[in-house]
């Protein structure tokens, strides 16, 4: 006897949910690239036609790919509600919030020192007013910070339970950099005309730093959101003051500054957790999954007190 449509759904949907749960990270990455590149690839093609409005809208829409992918996978595995509660929770230790706000200007200060050492020129007079930075901060929250519920809020807690925090950060950093690939073919984007090799090295280093902030906050996604927003705003604001020709691309200086700090983090906390706290779950269920011993004790005790 043929199965009715409802019976087919009862058989197929649990099978899909099981497959997604088994391959959560791969499912998240595949959907992230699908959602984003469906917008960014056409945007890159439209740039040559100088159709500014549709390009801007497509670039904006594509930036929500990681967040949307995380929502879809969390919903498919039955984790959406607890995951969303952790995404919007601001209850992180105060020093982590301070670090998220202060680290970008500190690391970019080191970057400027390396940049000048490489032969570039920095003119502070070329920088815009403080109101410009405030506007950039709002823009960076929408067009950068809101990636973090996907990258750190979903991908990281899934992957680092198997690989440890440092190795998971490397993998996510490579994926994160590759995800931006269409923007390198889009004149006017911050990636256009830059070296992808140095960009990759920089982004992987920043990925490790962001993991430290996320893990040390007890899995509060708003902390990486704040860091990402301040980072992008600081980058765009200071880039207007850099001019000339150096021995290496300016991105090389950023990579050096980021990885120097990564070395400090790994030395201080170790590669397994990159923090003083247990690996956070961010509301995701890992029952029955193989995990590393480094994650134990689980996310009870100190991390629960932040809820």
């Amino acid at each position: 006897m043929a199965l009715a449509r409802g019976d087919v759904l009862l058989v197929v949907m649990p099978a899909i949910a099981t497959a997604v749960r088994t391959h959560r990270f791969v499912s998240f990455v595949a959907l992230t690239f699908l959602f984003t590149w469906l917008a960014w690839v056409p945007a890159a093609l439209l740039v040559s036609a100088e159709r500014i409005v549709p390009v801007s809208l497509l670039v904006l829409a594509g930036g929500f790919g990681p967040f949307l992918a995380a929502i879809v996978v969390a919903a498919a595995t039955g984790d959406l509600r607890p995951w969303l509660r952790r995404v919007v929770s601001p209850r992180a230790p105060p020093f982590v919030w301070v670090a998220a706000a202060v680290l970008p200007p500190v690391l970019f200060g080191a970057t400027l020192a390396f940049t000048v050492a490489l032969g570039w020129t920095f003119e502070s007079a070329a920088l815009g007013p403080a109101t410009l930075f405030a506007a950039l901060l709002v823009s960076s929250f929408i067009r950068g910070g809101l990636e973090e519920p996907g990258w750190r809020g979903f991908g990281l807690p899934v992957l680092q339970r198997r690989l440890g925090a440092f190795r998971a950060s490397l993998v996510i950093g490579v994926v994160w950099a590759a995800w931006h690939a269409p923007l390198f073919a889009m004149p006017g984007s911050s990636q256009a005309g830059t070296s992808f090799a140095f960009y990759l090295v920089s982004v992987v280093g920043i990925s490790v730093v962001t993991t430290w902030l996320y893990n040390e906050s007890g899995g509060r996604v708003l902390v990486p959101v704040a860091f990402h927003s301040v980072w992008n705003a600081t980058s765009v604001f200071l880039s207007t003051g850099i001019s000339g020709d150096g021995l290496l691309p300016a991105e090389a200086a950023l990579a050096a500054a980021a990885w120097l700090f990564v070395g400090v983090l790994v030395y201080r906390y170790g590669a397994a957790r990159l923090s003083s706290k247990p690996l956070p779950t961010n509301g995701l269920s890992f029952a029955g999954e193989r995990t590393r011993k480094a994650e134990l004790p689980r996310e009870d005790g100190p991390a629960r007190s932040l809820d």
Side-chain angles (χ1 to χ4, degrees):
M1 178 193 290
L3 291 173
R5 180 177 298 179
D7 294 331
V8 172
L9 290 176
L10 288 175
V11 173
V12 172
M13 295 307 293
I16 293 175
T18 299
V20 170
R21 181 177 291 277
T22 304
H23 305 287
R24 251 192 293 205
F25 184 75
V26 173
S27 300
F28 161 70
V29 170
L31 286 175
T32 294
F33 275 73
L34 176 66
F35 292 156
T36 296
W37 284 21
L38 279 176
W40 282 1
V41 171
L45 297 175
L46 286 171
V47 167
S48 59
E50 298 184 355
R51 301 179 64 179
I52 304 301
V53 173
V55 168
S56 299
L57 292 176
L58 286 170
V59 171
L60 178 63
F64 292 102
F67 199 169
L68 293 176
I71 289 173
V72 171
V73 179
T77 57
D79 293 327
L80 184 58
R81 286 188 178 182
W83 178 76
L84 284 174
R85 282 198 296 269
R86 295 301 291 257
V87 166
V88 300
S89 173
R91 300 171 69 180
F95 90 90
V96 180
W97 283 110
V98 172
V102 171
L103 265 178
V106 168
L107 289 178
F108 272 105
T111 297
L112 289 178
F114 285 129
T115 300
V116 172
L118 290 172
W120 296 82
T121 300
F122 179 74
E123 297 289 343
S124 60
L127 301 180
T131 52
L132 173 61
F133 182 81
L136 288 172
L137 196 58
V138 174
S139 174
S140 297
F141 167 74
I142 298 170
R143 301 181 61 172
L146 291 180
E147 298 170 20
E148 291 303 324
W151 299 127
R152 253 57 60 173
F154 190 90
L156 180 61
V158 170
L159 198 59
Q160 69 180 350
R161 296 177 75 83
R162 297 194 175 205
L163 301 181
F166 181 70
R167 289 196 293 168
S169 302
L170 299 184
V171 173
I172 289 176
V174 171
V175 172
W176 191 17
W179 175 75
H180 287 88
L183 299 182
F184 283 82
M186 196 180 300
S189 72
S190 58
Q191 288 80 11
T194 63
S195 165
F196 181 78
F198 284 113
Y199 178 83
L200 172 64
V201 175
S202 300
V203 167
V204 173
I206 296 165
S207 177
V208 179
V209 175
T210 316
T211 292
W212 168 65
L213 288 169
Y214 172 77
N215 286 354
E216 194 65 22
S217 73
R220 270 41 185 193
V221 182
L222 290 179
V223 172
V225 169
F227 174 74
H228 195 150
S229 302
V230 177
W231 181 277
N232 282 10
T234 305
S235 173
V236 175
F237 185 74
L238 293 179
S239 65
T240 59
I242 299 174
S243 61
D245 293 305
L247 298 175
L248 290 171
E251 294 80 22
L254 176 57
W259 278 97
L260 278 175
F261 189 67
V262 167
V264 172
L265 292 177
V266 174
Y267 177 79
R268 169 65 179 82
Y269 295 104
R273 297 183 186 179
L274 283 176
S275 81
S276 61
K277 293 181 169 60
L279 299 183
T281 65
N282 205 39
L284 302 174
S285 172
F286 294 96
E289 293 189 18
R290 179 180 61 84
T291 56
R292 290 171 55 93
K293 291 181 180 179
E295 81 176 85
L296 302 175
R298 293 179 63 100
E299 194 185 12
D300 43 28
R304 290 281 184 179
S305 64
L306 297 174
D307 285 323

